[in-house]
Amino acid sequence: MLTTGECLSIQLLGPIRAWKDGKEVLLGPPKQRAVLALLAGRAGDVVGIDHIIDAVWGSDVPQTAANGVHTYVAGLRRVLEPDRGRRGTSSVLVSAAGGYCLRVSPEATDLARFAQRHAQARSAGTACDIDRALVLYREALGLWHGEAFAGIPGPYAAMERTRLQDLRMTVTEEWASDMLKAGRHGEVVADLSAAVAEEPLREKLRWLLMLALYRCDRQAHALAVYTETRRLLNRELGIEPGTELSNLHQDILAGRAVTACREQPPAQAPAAELTEAAPPYLPRPAQLPPLARGFVGRTAELDELQRLLGGDEARAGADTAVAVVGGPAGMGKTAVALRLAHRLADSFPDGQLFVDLRGTGVQGEPLTASDALAQLLRSLGIDDARLPRDLAGRVSLYRSLLHGQRMLVVLDDAFTAEQVRPLIPRGASSVIVTSRQRLTGLAIRDGAHQFRIGPLSEAESVELLTFLGGNRLRVDQTMIVRLARICEGLPLALRSAVERLIEARDASPAAAERRYAETADGDENAGLRAAFEASYQALPAEAARMFRSLGLLSTSLISVHQAATLAGTTGPTARCLLDVLVNAHLMERVSRHYYRFHGLIGIYAAECAQREPRADRDMMLIGLLDRGRELLPAAPRSARTAETAEAGLAGR
């Protein structure tokens, strides 16, 4: 429950400031204010410590960053809750699930109020209540007090400044358009002139300023704006003004009447003119693939994702809600995403789009953003003759078609944030992304919610095996539990195991299970080993070598020092390479200095280690001996351990 909204107010649309019970509080040094800005921008969400570090320090992360986060949080708690005892529990800035959450009322930040007023203004305009829309637009713009996140360091603040500046200009354009529609053209000239001075290359602002001047009988000034615009675009970008600006210029020269861009045609317009002005038919796509048979667990994750993407906040927000479902190969990311999408389908009446981005390269090269947009635009009724050739043109057309639509977009198997970002529409739509990579850039710049999908519990694994195996597996509970443990909670491994056992119709279930644990053949194209191989092949060369090197270790925890010694590199370089493996979901970060493999991925790494020449492997292990016994693995991987884990990979 949010408890502090009545007494705490935070300003993000300008210099970062905060007021407690009406009195301003001192927020401390710049990085401490940066932590508050991030948490306030994601108010109500748990933000992980790693995410905070990335947002505040970017790529220049000191070894003390995690301690710095704790220090800054403690400092913020002191100023936001001065009456809290030293050991008392914070009710404002709470610790939860490996991160922190700022618990405030929905209108505690000016950014939230801005988004709410903007959404309300759009709704009022759509309902033809222009007077109310203008009041709400003015309230939204009145919340700004300079550059957003002013003076705040770090990549998150920099990206938010750019995003929010663009959003402020969009709101200014919408307000000016409604002002012109209401016939109040004289009142917008000063504001539009100031906005043009601030964003001189934004043609929409110049179009509105020219129209306002023209309606004020200032034809010469309107034409001067066009001349200045053409000169600026030629000098800065080497291009001519766009079609809309050029057409307005011709209309002014000819003395023709011009309507504002959001106005409807006059009531007396001929029927033919109304037909020409009607928007093209937009088909309602329904592209979600069918659900896989047998789905267990993931209840908490699905409920939270449904709240974020289909709840009232998502519907009212001006920004598209984006969720990234991440995790290792074989963990069931696509199954979770599709289960969620089918749950949400009724909340998106304008349709559901699905694109396989082929990020892992199993089916060829990853799809480029431009090719993905071509696929999406065809799904929306755009034939090849009308497809823009350049990426910017496709992005513009895609977002224009989805403007005002409530569409669900599922982007499966993404590789990078740059591949995904052009595919995110604006407005009331929502986007679900699956990826084997940690798409941190989407979280920092685009406010995406990140969810890591982990292994199923043993009980859930048994439930899935029992459901899929039917009567053939139901007779031997002990064998089912043993099989669940071999597969270590990976849904793809569990499904593959059931397929193998059902195929072995000539043997009893127990004998088939023993055969499964002893053999290593299987369908290489659909198997878990092939899935791991795709993730491995996508690694940079140095990270791939680190992955092979770590396969020599049998310890459950791997220190940065061990990794550096095995790879023959420095500690900072080893840490960077380990983080590349974490981002690819091939390793897990346990703490600042320790990492680990998921069991089956560790066995796959041991297989990859055999690709290194024998002499190189021997030199790596000798290097560990030279550094001291404290860096040596506890014991070589036993034959039994290797046999059991190999069985987990067999046939997947």
Side-chain angles (χ1 to χ4, degrees):
M1 179 178 178
L2 304 178
T3 59
T4 61
E6 296 181 0
C7 59
L8 182 63
S9 178
I10 301 172
Q11 174 178 292
L12 301 175
L13 303 179
I16 303 301
R17 301 170 68 186
W19 293 264
K20 172 82 171 177
D21 296 323
K23 297 180 180 179
E24 186 168 4
V25 297
L26 299 178
L27 296 176
K31 281 190 169 59
Q32 184 164 300
R33 286 183 284 124
V35 172
L36 176 63
L38 171 62
L39 295 175
R42 302 284 298 275
D45 292 340
V46 176
V47 183
I49 292 176
D50 288 343
H51 187 175
I52 297 174
I53 291 172
D54 290 339
V56 175
W57 281 275
S59 59
D60 188 20
V61 181
Q63 291 190 359
T64 58
N67 289 334
V69 171
H70 298 312
T71 300
Y72 294 142
V73 168
L76 290 170
R77 284 171 171 167
R78 282 194 297 271
V79 299
L80 297 179
E81 298 178 282
D83 299 329
R84 182 177 63 91
R86 183 176 179 182
R87 297 185 180 277
T89 301
S90 174
S91 62
V92 178
L93 214 172
V94 300
S95 303
Y100 296 99
C101 174
L102 186 67
R103 301 178 64 190
V104 292
S105 66
E107 290 205 349
T109 68
D110 54 356
L111 178 55
R113 296 195 298 275
F114 174 74
Q116 184 185 60
R117 302 297 189 278
H118 182 205
Q120 292 171 342
R122 278 183 164 178
S123 297
T126 302
C128 297
D129 190 351
I130 299 302
D131 290 339
R132 174 165 170 73
L134 290 173
V135 170
L136 290 166
Y137 276 125
R138 262 305 178 193
E139 288 180 5
L141 292 169
L143 293 168
W144 285 75
H145 298 87
E147 183 182 53
F149 291 79
I152 299 300
Y156 170 77
M159 292 176 180
E160 281 295 273
R161 275 192 289 272
T162 301
R163 182 182 73 86
L164 291 171
Q165 171 67 3
D166 181 71
L167 183 57
R168 181 166 73 93
M169 290 296 107
T170 297
V171 174
T172 300
E173 291 166 351
E174 292 173 4
W175 164 79
S177 181
D178 278 354
M179 287 287 284
L180 291 172
K181 183 177 179 180
R184 299 168 63 179
H185 28 268
E187 300 175 49
V188 300
V189 171
D191 288 297
L192 284 173
S193 297
V196 166
E198 196 173 345
E199 295 280 350
L201 296 176
R202 200 168 176 115
E203 289 190 53
K204 180 68 172 296
L205 287 172
R206 289 180 174 270
W207 188 95
L208 290 164
L209 177 58
M210 286 176 61
L211 181 56
L213 290 168
Y214 180 48
R215 287 188 172 182
C216 291
D217 296 324
R218 297 170 60 180
Q219 181 180 5
H221 290 92
L223 294 172
V225 171
Y226 179 82
T227 302
E228 178 196 356
T229 302
R230 186 181 184 193
R231 186 183 302 117
L232 178 67
L233 292 175
N234 269 283
R235 184 178 71 246
E236 297 293 331
L237 304 176
I239 62 174
E240 290 292 322
T243 303
E244 290 187 356
L245 211 58
S246 298
N247 289 343
L248 177 60
H249 177 241
Q250 292 300 317
D251 288 339
I252 293 174
L253 288 173
R256 290 190 287 265
V258 184
T259 60
C261 57
R262 291 180 63 181
E263 289 188 47
Q264 301 297 322
Q268 66 273 22
E273 184 178 336
L274 288 173
T275 301
E276 291 175 3
Y281 166 70
L282 190 64
R284 183 188 182 279
Q287 299 181 343
L288 297 179
L291 296 174
R293 175 174 169 267
F295 184 91
V296 300
R298 317 301 195 193
T299 302
E301 294 95 329
L302 285 170
D303 288 346
E304 179 64 10
L305 284 163
Q306 185 170 1
R307 182 188 69 81
L308 290 170
L309 299 184
D312 293 337
E313 290 182 20
R315 282 193 288 269
D319 294 331
T320 302
V322 181
V324 179
V325 180
M331 204 61 77
K333 302 177 292 297
T334 299
V336 170
L338 290 179
R339 181 71 51 168
L340 172 66
H342 280 272
R343 270 197 193 185
L344 293 172
D346 291 342
S347 299
F348 293 88
D350 295 312
Q352 306 89 40
L353 294 162
F354 180 89
V355 181
D356 180 2
L357 296 176
R358 306 201 305 250
T360 54
V362 174
Q363 302 175 10
E365 290 296 316
L367 209 62
T368 66
S370 184
D371 289 342
L373 282 166
Q375 182 176 325
L376 288 165
L377 288 169
R378 292 186 187 106
S379 300
L380 294 170
I382 303 300
D383 56 42
D384 288 350
R386 296 171 56 205
L387 272 180
R389 293 186 177 183
D390 61 309
L391 175 62
R394 291 180 179 184
V395 171
S396 178
L397 178 57
Y398 170 65
R399 290 177 176 167
S400 297
L401 287 173
L402 293 193
H403 179 73
Q405 302 289 312
R406 185 149 176 78
M407 193 85 70
L408 180 63
V409 183
V410 181
L411 306 173
D412 190 37
D413 195 16
F415 187 55
T416 64
E418 289 69 28
Q419 183 189 31
V420 171
R421 190 168 288 119
L423 313 182
I424 300 175
R426 296 290 178 259
S429 295
S430 290
V431 179
I432 305 170
V433 184
T434 72
S435 180
R436 296 184 191 179
Q437 309 293 324
R438 285 182 64 205
L439 304 182
T440 308
L442 283 182
I444 294 175
R445 177 172 171 180
D446 303 280
H449 304 277
Q450 290 192 310
F451 288 81
R452 188 181 190 280
I453 301 300
L456 296 174
S457 68
E458 183 175 302
E460 291 168 338
S461 298
V462 168
E463 181 184 350
L464 182 58
L465 286 170
T466 304
F467 176 84
L468 294 174
N471 293 331
R472 180 150 174 80
L473 296 186
R474 207 169 279 129
V475 296
D476 191 341
Q477 190 68 19
T478 302
M479 184 266 291
I480 292 177
V481 171
R482 187 164 60 248
L483 197 58
R485 290 173 180 170
I486 289 174
C487 295
E488 299 193 358
L490 267 70
L492 180 58
L494 293 163
R495 291 177 181 276
S496 178
V498 171
E499 290 175 6
R500 294 282 300 281
L501 296 184
I502 290 176
E503 288 171 1
R505 297 182 180 276
D506 58 327
S508 67
E513 183 268 331
R514 285 194 300 273
R515 184 186 304 175
Y516 174 76
E518 291 168 359
T519 57
D521 58 333
D523 186 348
E524 298 258 327
N525 292 324
L528 191 57
R529 182 182 279 106
F532 289 161
E533 179 71 14
S535 295
Y536 167 77
Q537 291 295 339
L539 293 172
E542 287 302 310
R545 184 175 183 274
M546 173 65 80
F547 183 76
R548 296 192 301 271
S549 302
L550 298 179
L552 295 171
L553 293 175
S554 62
T555 49
S556 58
L557 294 181
I558 300 172
S559 71
V560 175
H561 295 300
Q562 285 176 313
T565 302
L566 279 170
T569 187
T570 63
T573 300
R575 190 187 302 278
C576 289
L577 293 174
L578 288 167
D579 286 340
V580 171
L581 298 179
V582 170
N583 289 340
H585 290 291
L586 288 171
M587 294 198 80
E588 300 174 13
R589 185 191 292 114
V590 180
S591 67
R592 180 69 180 156
H593 300 291
Y594 287 92
Y595 298 74
R596 70 182 174 198
F597 287 118
H598 178 275
L600 293 180
I601 297 178
I603 298 305
Y604 175 73
E607 291 181 1
C608 290
Q610 302 307 307
R611 303 179 190 182
E612 290 287 321
R614 178 62 180 268
D616 290 353
R617 282 182 273 146
D618 291 343
M619 289 302 297
M620 292 178 194
L621 294 175
I622 290 171
L624 283 177
L625 284 169
D626 290 342
R627 287 292 305 272
R629 294 187 62 83
E630 72 277 4
L631 296 182
L632 189 64
R637 194 181 302 276
S638 70
R640 178 59 183 163
T641 302
E643 179 186 79
T644 302
E646 175 65 17
L649 283 171
R652 302 173 177 77

